[in-house]
Amino acid sequence: MSHWTDIAIKCLRDEAAALLELIPHIGEEFDRAVQLILDCHGKLIVTGVGKSGHIGNKIAATLSSTGTPSFFINPLDAFHGDMGVIAEGDVILALSNSGQTDELLRFIPYLDERGIPIIGMSGNPDSLLAKYATVHLNAAVSHEACPLGLAPTSSTTAQLALGDALACALIEARGFKASDFARFHPGGTLGKRLLTKARDIMRTDDLPVIPADMKMGEAVIHVSRGRLGLCVITTADGVVEGLITDGDVRRAMENSQDCFFTLTAADIMTRKPKCVAPDTKVSEIERILGDHKIHSVLVVDNERRLIGIVDSFSTMI
């Protein structure tokens, strides 16, 4: 490995170690911070200066997307006209590695006067921020990953991870679900996967459907023509009885050999194929496909009549 690779590996190990250092600090104060946010009737306003500000911006974005109304405000902007966005019922999450950042500390008298609680996050439990905060989260690290020990590296990683820990706790506390997440992410692939349903992507034309008494010699042709690698066995009125895949055909040919063409679809079909309702979300279909290691699910109505097929390629939206 090169010298640069060695430096990169050391950096990653140092930052990983810094995250593990946070674990002993997680306790009663963390619980109090979560409860403060849960009890908040307004907004969670995140603030910080410099690198802590960048981290705070990301924490606010994560919280907003997971059910906690949040936004970031720069203390410098607040002192030049934006202080009005802070109202009673809000909670402040203030980030500072040293806990002594002047621009941040100038906030405190204003917030204290209005009775607005402060969750302080710093790497110094003896700092002024820790002293005056309603709750303090200790994000201390033993050293920065930077070779000079100067640039915020391990410390900002610790802040970011602690913010994620808050978000995870709040997701659990609020009973936040994937469907809720989708409402906050309606655009892009993520939103489509969580909001799109089986009816939106299922194949409905020229479905490979055969009766249970069809001989396998003919059934093989239908499996091939269907271009899905399967055939669905239904009754005359469309109720699903079973499923044959190309894998089932290969196994039957190996096991039956000369008797294969005397078999019927009913002899080798899977009698309880995986079926979903038309309003099943794509995210749930993907879970079913993965859990059962299959490539397709059948879409059926309340009476188990076949109305469509969704394969793994259809879910790639």
Side-chain angles (χ1 to χ4, degrees), residues 77-148:
D77 293 331
F79 291 126
H80 293 279
D82 288 352
M83 196 75 81
V85 300
I86 303 173
E88 292 183 15
D90 293 342
V91 172
I92 298 291
L93 173 59
L95 282 68
S96 168
N97 184 41
S98 69
Q100 302 288 113
T101 306
D102 180 64
E103 297 91 336
L104 208 58
L105 296 177
R106 287 165 58 193
F107 254 130
I108 292 179
Y110 170 82
L111 300 172
D112 186 57
E113 181 182 350
R114 302 188 62 182
I116 296 174
I118 303 168
I119 301 170
M121 183 189 296
S122 81
N124 182 2
D126 298 319
S127 64
L128 288 175
L129 177 60
K131 179 179 178 180
Y132 292 111
T134 312
V135 176
H136 180 253
L137 300 178
N138 190 345
V141 298
S142 56
H143 64 278
E144 299 288 4
C146 165
L148 301 176

Side-chain angles (χ1 to χ4, degrees), residues 149-272:
L150 299 174
T153 44
S154 297
S155 59
T156 47
T157 299
Q159 289 176 334
L160 185 61
L162 201 49
D164 287 341
L166 277 175
C168 290
L170 290 163
I171 287 171
E172 185 71 20
R174 296 186 193 280
F176 198 77
K177 299 179 177 62
S179 57
D180 301 314
F181 194 75
R183 288 190 293 108
F184 293 103
H185 300 76
T189 301
L190 180 59
K192 288 180 181 178
R193 289 157 66 92
L194 291 171
L195 294 175
T196 303
K197 299 179 180 179
R199 67 170 77 254
D200 301 319
I201 61 171
M202 66 184 183
R203 173 174 163 180
T204 58
D205 297 330
D206 299 321
L207 297 179
V209 175
I210 61 174
D213 59 357
M214 179 177 284
K215 295 293 186 180
M216 284 308 303
E218 187 178 355
V220 169
I221 297 173
H222 285 273
V223 171
S224 177
R225 286 178 179 172
R227 301 189 307 279
L228 287 172
L230 57 83
C231 267
V232 185
I233 294 83
T234 69
T235 62
D237 56 355
V239 175
V240 172
E241 289 188 302
L243 178 74
I244 294 175
T245 68
D246 49 8
D248 294 329
V249 171
R250 288 194 299 272
R251 286 185 289 273
M253 292 181 72
E254 292 173 0
N255 295 332
S256 303
Q257 297 184 4
D258 294 342
C259 298
F260 174 76
F261 291 101
T262 67
L263 298 175
T264 65
D267 293 327
I268 72 167
M269 70 182 183
T270 299
R271 295 186 179 274
K272 293 183 178 180

